[in-house]
């Protein structure tokens, strides 16, 4: 199973390491041609404004919409979740708009409010270590999306078919369960 | 249990900046230009380093009105500088909601013996370093991110290159050492033993390491990335160039695609003049900012 990590900016190396540990072959993706061979893709944490600008510049917007519409799974963490969302609070436009969720950026506050907490994530575990850094949260999900985790009544993990979005950073932990969950999704959609 | 300001949360913030460009700005308008060009963060300052150098006198934490203006202008993280050892300036910046503090040699040091005890803070810190020992001392004090010192405000990349090469060579040397040699090397470098042990095991710094101090062109940024930087700070290089918007965009692209020479050529064409540089030997030793910090 070959999984790409969009490598325009952000915590790319951490996702590559976690995906390898979870049992996949993981490669960084800087050019659209590199999407062809992949079974799934991770949109990493980083600055969503920066990543989005570079995605536009290098043709990733259309290429990733096709990738998603071809049924290939995409996992967005933090900035990646913002990139996937159909709606962003306070903005008229969105980035990829593949996943029927509405997100609010920096919704937990600035860096000094950033935190970590152990919390349950459905299908993943009851004690998942979640690291929130200037994190967004998911305000609403569409009717086909499923809520996998909430923190203080705010949705922080959601899944819609082959799309998975997390407001926190599974790549900053040593816990591979979220990545394994994603790889199971990839297996499911590959068959 | 919910925990704020943990080492993981502070270092993690720097991880999210990797592969990106952090730009110095002195007002809301410049901050917006930087954000629109794809900066991953902005550094709010009263003057860019080349102007600090020109102005002389004591350089302090920026006017807080400017910091607030920048905080309100952009959605990307905002950094600000405190003087070396000036923990009250740092506390004030933290209270305002600044996302990262640079305990910086660009400002006039407030303490000639000690740096800030950065572990006590909820907000993360970045510090400059010229070699591995200095980097590990700062990390030992709680820095969550390191940058080369270079020579700020010169538009001359040579010092940043020297600092990055020195650090990388020392890391390789420590990695190849036998365990028996580590304590003596910790003494030689003036580095905390436990952190040196980590470098020995992992072959890298325990935190993200950016390049800073002299980056003036897209090719400079790509050079620093190839030498092992995780990202780039650009101080005077953008808003002292002829066309800041184009320069900012070009440096962002060159930092992402640092081995794609055709792309770097394309983005570098027709940029106009970069900032005017200064030859390092023309700066008196006492005026070299990199000598500040201990």
């Amino acid at each position: 199973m070959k999984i790409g990590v969009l490598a325009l900016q952000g915590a790319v190396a951490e996702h590559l390491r976690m995906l390898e540990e979870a049992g996949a072959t993981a490669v960084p993706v800087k050019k659209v041609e590199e999407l062809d061979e992949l079974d799934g893709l991770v949109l990493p944490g980083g600055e969503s404004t920066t990543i989005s600008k570079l995605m536009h510049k290098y043709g990733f917007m259309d290429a990733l919409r096709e990738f998603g519409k071809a049924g290939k799974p995409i996992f967005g963490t933090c900035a990646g979740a913002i990139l996937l969302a159909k709606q962003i609070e306070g903005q008229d436009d969105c980035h990829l708009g593949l996943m029927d969720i509405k997100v609010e950026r920096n919704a937990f506050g600035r860096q000094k409010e950033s935190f970590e907490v152990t919390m349950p994530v459905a299908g993943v575990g009851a004690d998942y270590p979640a690291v929130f850094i200037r994190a967004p949260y998911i305000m609403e999900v569409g009717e086909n999306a499923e809520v996998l985790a909430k923190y203080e009544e705010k949705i922080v993990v959601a899944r819609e078919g082959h799309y998975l979005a997390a407001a926190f950073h599974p790549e900053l932990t040593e816990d591979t369960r979220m990545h394994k969950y994603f790889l199971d999704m990839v297996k499911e959609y590959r068959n | 249990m919910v925990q704020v300001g943990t080492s993981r949360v502070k270092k993690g913030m720097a991880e999210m900046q990797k592969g990106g460009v952090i730009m110095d700005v002195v007002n809301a308008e410049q901050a917006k230009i930087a954000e629109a060009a794809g900066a991953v963060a902005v550094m709010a300052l009263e003057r860019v380093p080349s102007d600090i150098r020109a102005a002389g006198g004591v350089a302090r934490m920026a006017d807080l009105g400017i910091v607030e203006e920048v905080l309100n202008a952009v959605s990307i993280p905002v950094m600000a500088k405190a003087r070396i050892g000036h923990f009250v300036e740092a506390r004030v910046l933290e209270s305002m909601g600044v996302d990262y503090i640079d305990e910086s040699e660009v400002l006039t040091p407030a303490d000639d013996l000690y740096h800030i005890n950065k572990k006590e803070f909820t907000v993360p810190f970045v510090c400059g370093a010229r070699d591995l020992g200095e980097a590990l001392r700062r990390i030992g004090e709680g820095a969550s991110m390191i940058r080369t010192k270079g020579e700020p405000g010169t538009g001359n990349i040579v010092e940043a290159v020297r600092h990055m090469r020195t650090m990388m060579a020392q890391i390789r040397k420590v990695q190849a050492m036998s365990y028996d040699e580590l304590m003596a090397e910790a003494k030689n470098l003036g580095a905390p033993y436990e952190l040196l042990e980590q470098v020995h095991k992992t072959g890298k710094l325990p935190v993200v390491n950016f390049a800073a101090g002299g980056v003036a062109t897209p090719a400079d940024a790509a050079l620093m990335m190839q030498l092992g930087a995780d990202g780039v700070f650009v101080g005077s290089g953008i808003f002292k160039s002829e066309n800041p918007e184009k320069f900012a965009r070009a440096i962002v692209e060159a930092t992402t695609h640092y081995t794609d020479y055709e792309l770097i050529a394309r983005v570098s064409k027709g940029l106009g003049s970069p900032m005017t540089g200064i030859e390092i030997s023309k700066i008196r030793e006492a005026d070299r900012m990199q000598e500040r910090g201990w």
Side-chain angles (χ1 to χ4, degrees):
Chain A
M1 199 172 351
K2 195 170 171 187
I3 309 294
V5 179
L6 187 68
L8 296 176
Q9 191 272 316
V12 177
E14 290 71 17
H15 269 299
L16 292 172
R17 178 177 60 85
M18 294 294 274
L19 287 165
E20 294 273 350
E21 272 177 37
T25 303
V27 293
V29 174
K30 286 201 178 207
K31 307 235 154 120
V32 286
E33 308 86 83
E34 292 161 348
L35 291 171
D36 295 346
E37 302 283 297
L38 302 178
D39 299 304
L41 184 80
V42 171
L43 302 172
E47 283 308 316
S48 61
T49 52
T50 304
I51 299 173
S52 163
K53 280 187 180 75
L54 294 168
M55 282 167 70
H56 273 288
K57 204 157 260 169
Y58 307 128
F60 273 105
M61 286 299 178
D62 289 339
L64 284 182
R65 284 187 194 118
E66 274 172 42
F67 186 90
K69 281 171 188 160
K72 294 205 176 167
I74 304 179
F75 178 18
T77 62
C78 194
I82 297 166
L83 296 170
L84 277 177
K86 267 202 179 121
Q87 281 182 282
I88 303 170
E89 172 68 9
Q91 286 178 223
D92 296 331
D93 51 349
C94 65
H95 304 295
L96 289 167
L98 283 170
M99 189 173 172
D100 195 5
I101 55 174
K102 182 177 182 182
V103 296
E104 180 173 349
R105 291 183 61 205
N106 303 333
F108 289 100
R110 304 199 71 99
Q111 174 60 21
K112 66 175 178 178
E113 278 96 39
S114 295
F115 61 98
E116 51 182 300
V117 65
T118 304
M119 58 180 289
V121 179
V124 174
D127 54 350
Y128 190 80
V131 184
F132 292 83
I133 295 176
R134 287 173 50 93
Y137 69 74
I138 301 166
M139 303 169 76
E140 296 162 25
V141 299
E143 54 182 22
N144 295 319
E146 185 187 349
V147 174
L148 300 186
K150 279 187 178 183
Y151 174 71
E152 289 189 337
E153 298 307 304
K154 297 173 176 110
I155 303 167
V156 292
V157 185
R159 175 179 176 177
E160 185 188 25
H162 60 302
Y163 301 128
L164 179 65
F168 51 74
H169 293 282
E171 74 277 20
L172 291 182
T173 69
E174 301 300 319
D175 191 319
T176 55
R177 285 177 292 175
M178 275 301 283
H179 287 85
K180 283 187 175 141
Y181 180 91
F182 178 62
L183 294 185
D184 287 341
M185 279 171 59
V186 175
K187 275 179 211 149
E188 190 183 318
Y189 276 85
R190 206 166 53 161
N191 299 327
Chain B
M1 198 180 78
V2 185
Q3 293 175 288
V4 296
T6 60
S7 166
R8 182 149 69 179
V9 164
K10 294 198 280 189
K11 287 180 191 171
M13 163 71 197
E15 304 280 349
M16 297 309 135
Q17 303 270 297
K18 283 199 299 191
V21 182
I22 299 167
M23 302 181 191
D24 278 4
V25 299
V26 299
N27 55 41
E29 186 197 343
Q30 289 188 354
K32 284 182 179 153
I33 291 173
E35 183 178 45
V40 289
V42 289
M43 176 78 71
L45 292 166
E46 197 161 315
R47 297 190 187 104
V48 295
S50 64
D51 288 340
I52 289 176
R53 197 175 275 291
V58 175
R60 308 179 181 90
M61 168 176 78
D63 175 344
L64 297 176
I66 294 174
V67 176
E68 189 169 33
E69 178 185 326
V70 172
L71 280 168
N72 293 333
V74 291
S75 66
I76 56 177
V78 175
M79 301 188 174
K81 290 185 196 290
R83 281 180 269 177
I84 290 174
H86 207 315
F87 53 85
V88 172
E89 282 188 352
R91 284 293 184 198
V92 169
L93 292 170
E94 180 182 53
S95 78
M96 290 181 68
V98 163
D99 296 295
Y100 231 96
I101 295 174
D102 185 358
E103 186 184 17
S104 178
E105 67 281 3
V106 167
L107 306 181
T108 311
D111 192 320
D112 65 349
L113 292 176
Y114 307 114
H115 284 250
I116 297 170
N117 176 11
K118 295 166 274 288
K119 284 189 174 151
E120 300 270 302
F121 286 72
T122 304
V123 69
F125 278 77
V126 56
C127 286
R130 288 166 299 179
D131 55 41
L132 183 59
E134 196 172 14
L136 295 181
R137 286 195 294 282
R138 297 294 86 80
I139 297 166
E141 293 157 356
S144 307
M145 180 184 199
I146 291 294
R147 53 172 175 73
T148 59
K149 284 180 165 175
E151 188 54 42
T154 60
N156 189 338
I157 197 69
V158 66
E159 295 301 296
V161 167
R162 194 156 60 82
H163 299 159
M164 188 58 79
R165 279 204 184 273
T166 303
M167 226 182 285
M168 292 299 164
Q170 288 172 323
I171 290 171
R172 284 191 296 272
K173 186 177 158 207
V174 167
Q175 194 184 13
M177 277 182 169
S178 93
Y179 236 93
D180 312 351
E181 298 167 303
L182 286 185
M183 184 58 85
E185 186 66 5
K187 185 183 163 206
N188 288 341
L189 293 173
Y193 178 76
E194 289 70 22
L195 292 175
L196 198 72
E197 206 180 1
Q198 264 189 56
V199 172
H200 173 65
K201 281 184 194 148
T202 60
K204 59 186 187 68
L205 277 189
V207 303
V208 165
N209 186 17
F210 269 47
V215 177
T217 67
D220 286 349
L223 174 67
M224 295 311 300
M225 293 299 286
Q226 290 208 24
L227 290 176
D230 291 313
V232 179
F233 281 88
V234 188
S236 321
I238 289 173
F239 290 99
K240 288 286 166 187
S241 71
E242 200 177 324
N243 190 335
E245 273 180 81
K246 278 173 112 176
F247 251 88
R249 280 201 302 268
I251 291 178
V252 168
E253 285 202 65
T255 303
T256 297
H257 291 288
Y258 57 89
T259 56
D260 186 338
Y261 305 114
E262 284 169 17
L263 180 140
I264 297 170
R266 196 173 69 237
V267 300
S268 301
K269 266 181 232 162
L271 281 182
S273 308
M275 69 179 284
T276 313
I278 308 174
E279 167 58 48
I280 303 296
S281 62
K282 299 282 190 292
I283 306 170
R284 286 190 311 148
E285 213 149 303
D287 293 332
R288 291 184 195 165
M289 292 170 173
Q290 60 176 287
E291 304 297 331
R292 299 164 167 176
W294 6 96

